[in-house]
Amino acid sequence: HAKFPPAPSEIPLSLFCSCESQENGRLVADSIAEKGQKTCSGPGQVSNGYPSTSPQSPRDGAGAGTDRGSTPGTFRTLVVQQTSLDPPRETWSKKMDFLLSVIGYAVDLGNVWRFPYICYQNGGGAFLLPYLLMAVFGGVPLFYMELALGQFHRSGCISIWKHICPIFKGIGFAICIIALYIAFYYNTIMAWALYYLLSSFRATLPWTTCTNQWNTPNCTQYLSTDLNVSWTDNSISPAEEFYIRQVLQVHLSPGLHQLGWVSWQLALCLLFIFTVVYFSIWKGVKTSGKVVWVTATFPYLVLLILLIRGATLPGAWRGVVFYLKPDWGKLLTTTVWLDAAAQIFFSLGPGFGVLLAFASYNPFHNNCYKDALITSSVNCLTSFLSGFVIFTVLGYMAEMRQQRVETVAKDAGPSLLFIIYAEAIANMPAATFFAIIFFLMIIMLGLDSTFAGLEGVITAMLDEFPHLLARRREWFVLGLVCVCYLGALSTLTYGGAFVVKLFEEYATGPAVITVVFLEVIAVSWFYGTTRFCNDVQLMLGFAPGVFWRVCWVAICPCFLLFIIGSFLAFPPEVRLFDYLYPFWTTVLGYCIGVSSFICVPSYMVYHLVTTKGTFKQRLLKSITPEAPGSSGPQRDTIVITNAV
């Protein structure tokens, strides 16, 4: 609130009527006095008879006008609060656009391949107990906190820190670098799926026969009707050889030390993927909010079709029993709880700047608490549903091979989809149809997450450098997409699958968990839980309860520390196919992870050095939220004297 006492030479203000309206988070104060003939008829009206609306942000607002008792017709001092001439902040066209975007971001490829694998690996149905506990006490509180922060401060992951704790601004830059690393490898998986999709438009799927140029003598061709074919330990399915030798061409690369040439087929597939991404996000949430109506809903239709088809396959019950049969003894091991915490964290996706960006385009009084509960519940239920879709097919494969389900389900990650599931589809009636819709589903699951990840970076940079980038959004998005494509070229080589695995294990996991840990500490301990809860009450009309406060202050930091400590104490043994990653790749992986996190301490030092005053004054200023309007020319107050 800007309050300016009149100067001695000024005549007191006799009438100040303000019409306040909210335009995308900026308050516009129109002071109107029509020749002294009309007066404010009440607190809800202005001099021209139109009702006024209260500002929707506590950081926006000029004080309500007051009558200072001078006589009509005298000269008055008019205080005008001028807003920035920047383009107004974009908002979601519909509430459903926002919900589908968040659901599309949270429900990604990991829900389809990672959750079912981790579930059966950690005790089947017994795993659901630690999973739900980690969701309730760790994942959902973090999810809710980020939605509330983004909606209240209406800023991306960089500029938001000046309103919370300025010294932690490096967190925003670290998040942007992590998002770039994800874009380098995540979209490559969609390029693989697109290659499969294009290969599916034929009567006989290419991964069903052993007569192709990429097949080896160990290739064992069999269909559900081939009863005379025996499956041995040395047998290799045509689906596995198609994935490894034709799509990835891993056999042409000895390892990370010699990646080989770029596959031109995958390069074209990835170019098409990034073209779709660009034209979906180049105009902002107005366009991406429409695209997600297809990309976020179509996967559920396909999952339902595949679930019905899988349930009717012979042996499907074996897979379901294996998926849900509880092994309560595994709950006594630390690994189960670590996997549950990591799965719910990476599934809901706090800390990637996406939730902050999406929520910043919401109306100020939107019920983000309800949104957090709905979207996180949909995400968890989708993971559970995906388990049935996967394991009905695994049970069918075990029945067909006359093997145990755990033998068939030995593959994890993308191999579960591109080898096991693709092979099962090839053995179904109407295989071409099911292959097309399945790989379309994979592409759309990935597109949602890519839209969200890049939108988090775009929003952060546009909010941090509005005068430079706000009117050049399309060019900035084009440059960002080009950088992501060039960065992904290493994943398109013959050894590109090794690079994808390296980025997945080291570039994102430990770094983003550490960043989120610092984010929770900054919000709960420096900004203050009480202040944050007051902000939420100002938006929603009610404050978060004791449960949420305890989670933010104590449980969530412990939850994240548990994951970080486990990563450091038990570094994963990274292996892909027959390639065991050597020690130097572990060092390289940690260097990639540190390269993003280093932004946090670097900015702390920079902020302390550039801030004026004694060290104590600098430190105090670094952890104190900046006053609204003090950080730049977002609002200029102009005093007009002798206005009639």
Side-chain angles (χ1 to χ4, degrees):
H1 299 278
K3 297 181 181 179
F4 292 87
S9 61
E10 298 174 356
I11 298 177
L13 177 69
S14 64
L15 184 63
F16 181 82
C17 300
S18 67
C19 173
E20 300 173 345
S21 64
Q22 176 74 19
E23 286 186 5
N24 301 308
R26 300 181 185 276
L27 183 71
V28 181
D30 298 321
S31 301
I32 304 173
E34 296 184 0
K35 298 181 181 180
Q37 296 175 358
K38 296 182 181 180
T39 60
C40 291
S41 58
Q45 290 185 326
V46 293
S47 58
N48 59 4
Y50 290 98
S52 64
T53 59
S54 60
Q56 293 199 2
S57 173
R59 299 187 293 111
D60 299 328
T66 56
D67 193 332
R68 299 194 181 180
S70 59
T71 59
T74 59
F75 290 102
R76 291 179 290 276
T77 300
L78 186 65
V79 179
V80 180
Q81 182 154 331
Q82 180 185 15
T83 60
S84 172
L85 296 179
D86 294 337
R89 188 173 187 84
E90 198 173 11
T91 55
W92 298 99
S93 299
K94 296 179 182 178
K95 174 66 175 290
M96 202 63 188
D97 293 358
F98 166 71
L99 291 177
L100 287 176
S101 296
V102 175
I103 291 173
Y105 161 67
V107 179
D108 63 352
L109 298 175
N111 294 72
V112 178
W113 79 53
R114 188 181 292 118
F115 178 83
Y117 176 81
I118 289 179
C119 186
Y120 95 79
Q121 192 182 43
N122 291 286
F127 176 75
L128 298 178
L129 177 61
Y131 179 77
L132 290 176
L133 288 176
M134 291 298 179
V136 171
F137 291 99
V140 178
L142 292 172
F143 198 85
Y144 176 27
M145 183 187 75
E146 285 216 348
L147 287 181
L149 283 173
Q151 184 171 304
F152 183 83
H153 296 289
R154 304 182 66 83
S155 300
C157 61
I158 297 178
S159 57
I160 194 173
W161 288 102
K162 65 186 177 185
H163 308 303
I164 299 175
C165 189
I167 200 172
F168 284 98
K169 192 175 182 179
I171 289 177
F173 293 105
I175 289 174
C176 290
I177 296 176
I178 293 172
L180 286 178
Y181 287 157
I182 294 174
F184 289 167
Y185 77 88
Y186 190 81
N187 297 280
T188 301
I189 300 174
M190 283 186 285
W192 300 343
L194 180 59
Y195 191 100
Y196 268 85
L197 177 64
L198 297 176
S199 302
S200 300
F201 288 95
R202 59 187 69 184
T204 301
L205 297 176
W207 57 87
T208 60
T209 62
C210 290
T211 58
N212 304 287
Q213 61 178 357
W214 59 81
N215 293 125
T216 65
N218 289 329
C219 181
T220 303
Q221 178 181 351
Y222 68 95
L223 297 173
S224 56
T225 57
D226 296 333
L227 301 178
N228 59 341
V229 176
S230 60
W231 186 265
T232 65
D233 293 337
N234 294 326
S235 299
I236 301 177
S237 68
E240 183 174 352
E241 290 201 342
F242 178 79
Y243 176 60
I244 295 176
R245 300 179 63 85
Q246 175 63 12
V247 179
L248 303 182
Q249 303 183 65
V250 172
H251 64 289
L252 299 177
S253 171
L256 279 172
H257 61 282
Q258 188 176 343
L259 295 177
W261 297 99
V262 173
S263 170
W264 65 268
Q265 298 99 325
L266 292 180
L268 290 179
C269 289
L270 187 63
L271 180 62
F272 177 80
I273 292 293
F274 271 118
T275 303
V276 173
V277 169
Y278 174 72
F279 286 106
S280 298
I281 64 175
W282 68 323
K283 292 292 186 181
V285 296
K286 293 290 187 183
T287 55
S288 63
K290 297 296 181 290
V291 176
V292 294
W293 280 83
V294 176
T295 58
T297 57
F298 181 77
Y300 285 95
L301 176 63
V302 176
L303 284 175
L304 182 61
I305 294 174
L306 294 176
L307 177 61
I308 296 173
R309 183 67 189 101
T312 59
L313 293 171
W317 62 273
R318 293 178 58 186
V320 174
V321 169
F322 184 77
Y323 173 47
L324 294 180
K325 184 180 179 180
D327 183 1
W328 300 106
K330 288 198 173 183
L331 295 182
L332 301 178
T333 61
T334 308
T335 307
V336 174
W337 296 88
L338 170 64
D339 287 344
Q343 173 62 25
I344 193 64
F345 176 83
F346 289 112
S347 181
L348 291 177
F352 292 91
V354 174
L355 301 177
L356 291 173
F358 280 171
S360 70
Y361 299 111
N362 274 333
F364 184 76
H365 292 295
N366 173 65
N367 192 341
C368 58
Y369 172 69
K370 183 179 178 182
D371 295 344
L373 295 182
I374 291 175
T375 51
S376 56
S377 300
V378 169
N379 175 72
C380 295
L381 291 175
T382 304
S383 298
F384 187 61
L385 173 67
S386 299
F388 288 97
V389 174
I390 296 296
F391 274 92
T392 53
V393 169
L394 291 179
Y396 165 64
M397 293 293 295
E399 182 84 8
M400 190 171 59
R401 290 186 184 179
Q402 298 180 352
Q403 291 181 318
R404 296 168 60 87
V405 178
E406 56 265 35
T407 305
V408 177
K410 67 181 186 301
D411 291 315
S415 299
L416 185 64
L417 302 181
F418 293 114
I419 297 178
I420 301 298
Y421 211 93
E423 182 180 349
I425 287 176
N427 285 276
M428 296 179 185
T432 299
F433 167 74
F434 285 109
I436 290 173
I437 64 171
F438 177 71
F439 292 113
L440 264 178
M441 178 192 72
I442 293 179
I443 293 172
M444 291 190 179
L445 284 173
L447 283 175
D448 289 333
S449 299
T450 299
F451 295 161
L454 293 183
E455 186 59 53
V457 177
I458 294 165
T459 299
M461 299 303 291
L462 263 62
D463 287 344
E464 181 66 13
F465 308 104
H467 301 296
L468 179 64
L469 301 175
R471 299 183 185 277
R472 303 178 180 88
R473 178 188 171 98
E474 292 86 352
W475 290 105
F476 174 68
V477 175
L478 179 61
L480 179 64
V481 169
C482 291
V483 168
C484 293
Y485 183 78
L486 294 176
L489 287 179
S490 62
T491 65
L492 304 176
T493 57
Y494 299 147
F498 302 136
V499 181
V500 170
K501 186 70 173 178
L502 183 73
F503 271 103
E504 186 180 7
E505 291 291 339
Y506 294 107
T508 58
V512 77
I513 295 173
T514 308
V515 162
V516 177
F517 171 74
L518 293 177
E519 179 182 323
V520 174
I521 295 298
V523 173
S524 302
W525 296 5
F526 287 87
Y527 186 70
T529 307
T530 302
R531 182 185 296 178
F532 176 59
C533 291
N534 290 338
D535 294 345
V536 175
Q537 185 172 17
L538 199 60
M539 288 191 301
L540 308 184
F542 59 89
V546 177
F547 168 76
W548 300 105
R549 294 171 183 252
V550 173
C551 285
W552 291 326
V553 171
I555 297 179
C556 286
C558 294
F559 165 79
L560 296 168
L561 271 180
F562 172 64
I563 304 177
I564 296 170
S566 300
F567 266 113
L568 297 177
F570 309 104
E573 182 185 63
V574 185
R575 178 189 294 272
L576 184 63
F577 307 126
D578 296 328
Y579 178 68
L580 179 63
Y581 283 62
F583 176 75
W584 68 268
T585 60
T586 303
V587 177
L588 175 63
Y590 278 115
C591 289
I592 295 174
V594 171
S595 66
S596 58
F597 178 74
I598 197 67
C599 294
V600 180
S602 299
Y603 186 83
M604 289 180 175
V605 174
Y606 167 78
H607 193 275
L608 288 174
V609 170
T610 56
T611 304
K612 297 180 180 180
T614 63
F615 180 77
K616 183 178 180 180
Q617 291 173 336
R618 285 187 252 175
L619 192 60
L620 185 62
K621 188 175 181 180
S622 297
I623 61 175
T624 304
E626 296 182 9
S630 64
S631 58
Q634 292 183 351
R635 297 184 187 88
D636 300 317
T637 302
I638 302 175
V639 178
I640 305 176
T641 59
N642 298 333
V644 179

